Amino acid sequence: MSIEIDILNGDASWKEAEPLFNAIWPPHVIATLPWAGVVFAHAELRVFVRDEVDGVVCHVGIYRREVTWNGRKLRAGGIGGVLTREDKRGRGYATIALEAALRTLKDEGSTDFAMLFCEPKNAPFYTARGWTPFEGEIFVEQPSGRIRFTAIAPHVFDLRRKLRQGTIDLCGQPW
Ligand SMILES: CC(C)(COP(=O)(O)OP(=O)(O)OC[C@H]1O[C@@H](n2cnc3c(N)ncnc32)[C@H](O)[C@@H]1OP(=O)(O)O)[C@@H](O)C(=O)NCCC(=O)NCCS
């Protein structure tokens, strides 16, 4: 089975991503998750993995943000919405899509670190792929104002900077 990888504008390609989000995270499932009720940012870019029979089988969202770490401005690359169709898992699609997303962030040259948030059950998936838990505090914007974000655990991928502790302010909504 051959696959194709595309990286598209996030807003323009939302319609292609939406069925996968709805299949994996319908509202009644989201309601049971630790991040129910969180308002997330929209992806700036989206990685799509397609197979020749079923079309989109995997998605990863890419975000870019000027954040602060202990008050210093840094350039973060965000990863979110990592999703593989249930019947297409275990074929390396999410690994390929994550690699494509990280390559995009690396190629830009100015990204200091990449960051994602995940539920505890998915942490081993990311640590096995070079991500490290970030042990400091995260602040984000929500409709209620600036809050400390603890719903899901931050993980970092080292690019130009190796962050492990301290305070990161995402200066916007989480991803
Ligand atoms: C997590 C997810 C994206 C993985 O997608 P995938 O395309 O199956 O991933 P890959 O095929 O690249 O990698 C699968 C490997 O990761 C392992 N894996 C998958 N989920 C795992 C988890 N939660 N913890 C540890 N390992 C995990 C598989 O056992 C498999 O291992 P193997 O290669 O040794 O057989 C997919 O399970 C999914 O869409 N889950 C629901 C949505 C979700 O929770 N997304 C993560 C949001 S942070």
Side-chain angles (χ1 to χ4, degrees), residues 96-136:
I96 289 169
L98 273 171
E99 278 170 10
L102 279 173
R103 200 177 324 118
T104 301
L105 293 168
K106 280 180 201 161
D107 287 351
E108 288 176 347
S110 57
T111 314
D112 291 301
F113 66 102
M115 176 163 255
L116 61 75
F117 299 87
C118 69
E119 294 168 50
K121 68 173 176 149
N122 285 325
F125 173 77
Y126 293 110
T127 53
R129 285 158 183 77
W131 293 78
T132 307
F134 176 75
E135 285 157 12

Coordinates of all heavy atoms in Angstrom, one line a residue, residues 96-136:
I96 N 5.3 8.6 11.2 CA 5.7 9.3 9.9 C 5.2 10.7 9.9 O 5.9 11.7 9.6 CB 5.1 8.6 8.7 CG1 5.8 7.2 8.5 CG2 5.2 9.4 7.4 CD1 5.2 6.3 7.5
A97 N 3.9 10.9 10.4 CA 3.3 12.3 10.4 C 4.1 13.2 11.4 O 4.3 14.4 11.1 CB 1.8 12.2 10.7
L98 N 4.4 12.6 12.6 CA 5.1 13.4 13.6 C 6.5 13.8 13.0 O 6.9 14.9 13.2 CB 5.3 12.5 14.8 CG 4.3 12.5 15.9 CD1 4.6 11.4 16.9 CD2 4.1 13.9 16.5
E99 N 7.2 12.8 12.4 CA 8.5 13.1 11.8 C 8.4 14.3 10.8 O 9.2 15.2 10.7 CB 9.1 11.9 11.2 CG 9.8 11.0 12.2 CD 10.2 9.7 11.6 OE1 10.1 9.5 10.4 OE2 10.6 8.8 12.5
A100 N 7.3 14.2 10.0 CA 7.2 15.3 8.9 C 6.9 16.6 9.6 O 7.4 17.7 9.2 CB 6.0 14.9 8.0
A101 N 6.1 16.6 10.7 CA 5.8 17.9 11.4 C 7.1 18.4 12.0 O 7.4 19.6 11.9 CB 4.8 17.6 12.5
L102 N 7.9 17.5 12.7 CA 9.1 18.0 13.3 C 10.1 18.5 12.2 O 10.8 19.5 12.5 CB 9.8 16.9 14.1 CG 9.2 16.7 15.5 CD1 9.8 15.4 16.1 CD2 9.5 17.9 16.4
R103 N 10.2 17.8 11.1 CA 11.1 18.2 10.0 C 10.7 19.6 9.6 O 11.6 20.5 9.3 CB 11.0 17.2 8.9 CG 12.3 17.3 8.0 CD 12.3 16.3 6.8 NE 11.7 15.0 7.2 CZ 10.6 14.5 6.7 NH1 10.0 15.1 5.7 NH2 10.2 13.3 7.1
T104 N 9.4 19.9 9.5 CA 9.0 21.2 9.0 C 9.4 22.3 10.0 O 9.9 23.3 9.7 CB 7.4 21.2 9.0 OG1 7.0 20.2 8.0 CG2 6.9 22.6 8.5
L105 N 9.3 22.0 11.3 CA 9.7 22.9 12.3 C 11.2 23.1 12.3 O 11.7 24.2 12.5 CB 9.2 22.5 13.7 CG 7.7 22.5 13.9 CD1 7.3 21.8 15.2 CD2 7.2 23.9 13.9
K106 N 11.9 22.0 12.2 CA 13.4 22.1 12.2 C 13.9 22.9 11.0 O 14.8 23.7 11.1 CB 14.0 20.7 12.1 CG 14.1 20.0 13.4 CD 14.7 18.6 13.1 CE 14.4 17.7 14.2 NZ 14.5 16.3 13.9
D107 N 13.3 22.7 9.8 CA 13.7 23.3 8.6 C 13.5 24.8 8.6 O 14.2 25.6 7.9 CB 12.9 22.8 7.4 CG 13.4 21.4 7.0 OD1 14.4 20.9 7.6 OD2 12.7 20.7 6.2
E108 N 12.6 25.3 9.5 CA 12.4 26.7 9.6 C 13.6 27.3 10.3 O 13.8 28.5 10.2 CB 11.1 27.0 10.3 CG 9.9 26.7 9.4 CD 8.6 26.9 10.1 OE1 8.6 27.0 11.3 OE2 7.6 26.9 9.4
G109 N 14.4 26.5 11.1 CA 15.6 27.0 11.7 C 15.5 27.8 12.9 O 16.4 27.8 13.7
S110 N 14.4 28.5 13.1 CA 14.2 29.4 14.2 C 13.5 28.8 15.4 O 13.2 29.5 16.3 CB 13.6 30.7 13.7 OG 12.3 30.4 13.2
T111 N 13.0 27.6 15.3 CA 12.2 27.0 16.3 C 13.1 26.5 17.5 O 14.0 25.7 17.2 CB 11.3 25.8 15.8 OG1 10.7 26.2 14.6 CG2 10.3 25.5 16.8
D112 N 12.9 27.0 18.7 CA 13.7 26.7 19.8 C 13.4 25.3 20.4 O 14.3 24.6 20.8 CB 13.6 27.7 20.9 CG 14.2 29.0 20.5 OD1 15.4 29.1 20.2 OD2 13.4 30.0 20.4
F113 N 12.1 25.0 20.4 CA 11.7 23.6 20.9 C 10.3 23.3 20.4 O 9.6 24.2 20.0 CB 11.8 23.6 22.5 CG 10.7 24.5 23.1 CD1 9.6 24.0 23.6 CD2 10.9 25.9 23.2 CE1 8.6 24.8 24.2 CE2 10.0 26.7 23.7 CZ 8.8 26.2 24.3
A114 N 10.0 22.0 20.4 CA 8.7 21.6 20.0 C 8.0 21.2 21.3 O 8.6 20.7 22.3 CB 8.7 20.5 19.0
M115 N 6.7 21.3 21.3 CA 5.9 21.0 22.5 C 4.6 20.4 22.1 O 3.9 20.8 21.2 CB 5.7 22.2 23.4 CG 4.8 22.0 24.6 SD 5.0 23.4 25.7 CE 6.0 22.6 27.0
L116 N 4.2 19.3 22.9 CA 2.8 18.8 22.7 C 2.3 18.4 24.1 O 3.0 18.4 25.1 CB 2.8 17.6 21.8 CG 3.7 16.3 22.2 CD1 3.0 15.5 23.3 CD2 3.8 15.4 21.0
F117 N 1.0 18.2 24.2 CA 0.3 17.8 25.4 C -0.4 16.5 25.2 O -1.0 16.3 24.1 CB -0.7 18.9 25.8 CG -0.1 20.3 26.0 CD1 0.2 21.1 24.9 CD2 0.4 20.6 27.3 CE1 0.8 22.3 25.1 CE2 1.0 21.8 27.5 CZ 1.2 22.7 26.4
C118 N -0.3 15.6 26.2 CA -0.9 14.3 26.0 C -1.4 13.8 27.3 O -1.0 14.1 28.4 CB 0.0 13.3 25.3 SG 1.4 12.8 26.2
E119 N -2.4 12.9 27.2 CA -2.9 12.1 28.3 C -1.9 11.1 28.7 O -1.1 10.7 27.9 CB -4.2 11.4 27.9 CG -5.3 12.3 27.5 CD -6.4 11.5 26.8 OE1 -6.9 10.4 27.4 OE2 -6.9 11.9 25.7
P120 N -1.9 10.8 30.0 CA -0.9 9.8 30.5 C -0.8 8.5 29.7 O 0.3 8.0 29.5 CB -1.3 9.5 32.0 CG -2.2 10.7 32.3 CD -2.8 11.2 31.1
K121 N -1.9 8.0 29.2 CA -1.9 6.8 28.5 C -1.1 6.9 27.2 O -0.6 5.9 26.7 CB -3.3 6.2 28.2 CG -4.1 7.1 27.3 CD -5.4 6.4 26.9 CE -6.1 7.4 26.0 NZ -7.0 7.0 25.0
N122 N -1.0 8.1 26.7 CA -0.2 8.2 25.4 C 1.2 8.7 25.6 O 2.0 8.7 24.6 CB -0.9 9.2 24.5 CG -2.2 8.7 23.9 OD1 -2.2 7.5 23.5 ND2 -3.2 9.5 23.7
A123 N 1.6 9.0 26.8 CA 3.0 9.4 27.1 C 4.0 8.5 26.6 O 5.0 8.9 26.0 CB 3.2 9.8 28.6
P124 N 3.9 7.1 26.8 CA 4.9 6.2 26.4 C 5.1 6.2 24.8 O 6.2 6.0 24.4 CB 4.4 4.8 26.8 CG 3.4 5.1 27.9 CD 2.8 6.4 27.6
F125 N 4.0 6.5 24.1 CA 4.1 6.6 22.7 C 5.1 7.7 22.3 O 5.9 7.6 21.4 CB 2.7 6.9 22.1 CG 2.7 7.1 20.6 CD1 2.9 6.1 19.7 CD2 2.6 8.4 20.1 CE1 2.9 6.3 18.3 CE2 2.5 8.7 18.8 CZ 2.7 7.6 17.9
Y126 N 5.0 8.9 23.0 CA 5.8 10.0 22.6 C 7.2 9.9 23.2 O 8.2 10.2 22.5 CB 5.2 11.3 23.1 CG 3.9 11.6 22.3 CD1 2.6 11.5 22.9 CD2 3.9 11.9 21.0 CE1 1.5 11.7 22.2 CE2 2.8 12.2 20.3 CZ 1.6 12.1 20.9 OH 0.4 12.3 20.2
T127 N 7.4 9.4 24.4 CA 8.7 9.2 25.0 C 9.5 8.3 24.1 O 10.7 8.4 23.9 CB 8.7 8.9 26.5 OG1 7.9 7.7 26.6 CG2 8.2 10.0 27.3
A128 N 8.9 7.2 23.6 CA 9.6 6.3 22.7 C 10.0 6.9 21.4 O 10.8 6.4 20.7 CB 8.7 5.1 22.4
R129 N 9.5 8.1 21.1 CA 9.9 8.9 19.9 C 10.7 10.1 20.2 O 10.7 11.1 19.4 CB 8.6 9.2 19.1 CG 8.1 7.9 18.4 CD 6.6 7.9 18.1 NE 6.2 6.6 17.5 CZ 6.0 5.5 18.2 NH1 6.2 5.6 19.5 NH2 5.8 4.4 17.6
G130 N 11.3 10.2 21.4 CA 12.3 11.2 21.6 C 11.7 12.4 22.4 O 12.4 13.4 22.5
W131 N 10.4 12.4 22.8 CA 9.8 13.5 23.6 C 10.1 13.3 25.0 O 10.2 12.1 25.5 CB 8.3 13.5 23.3 CG 8.0 13.9 21.9 CD1 8.1 13.1 20.8 CD2 7.6 15.2 21.4 NE1 7.7 13.8 19.6 CE2 7.4 15.1 20.0 CE3 7.4 16.5 22.0 CZ2 7.1 16.2 19.2 CZ3 7.0 17.5 21.2 CH2 6.9 17.4 19.8
T132 N 10.2 14.4 25.8 CA 10.6 14.3 27.2 C 9.5 15.1 28.0 O 9.1 16.2 27.6 CB 11.9 15.0 27.4 OG1 12.9 14.4 26.6 CG2 12.4 14.8 28.9
P133 N 9.0 14.6 29.1 CA 8.1 15.3 29.9 C 8.7 16.7 30.4 O 9.9 16.7 30.7 CB 7.8 14.4 31.1 CG 8.2 13.1 30.7 CD 9.3 13.2 29.7
F134 N 7.9 17.7 30.3 CA 8.4 19.0 30.8 C 7.9 19.2 32.2 O 6.6 19.0 32.4 CB 7.9 20.2 29.9 CG 8.2 21.5 30.4 CD1 9.5 22.0 30.2 CD2 7.3 22.3 31.0 CE1 9.8 23.3 30.7 CE2 7.6 23.6 31.5 CZ 8.9 24.1 31.3
E135 N 8.8 19.4 33.1 CA 8.4 19.3 34.5 C 7.9 20.7 35.1 O 7.6 20.8 36.3 CB 9.5 18.7 35.4 CG 9.5 17.2 35.1 CD 10.9 16.6 35.4 OE1 11.7 17.3 36.0 OE2 11.1 15.4 35.0
G136 N 8.0 21.7 34.4 CA 7.6 23.1 34.9 C 6.1 23.3 34.7 O 5.3 22.4 34.6

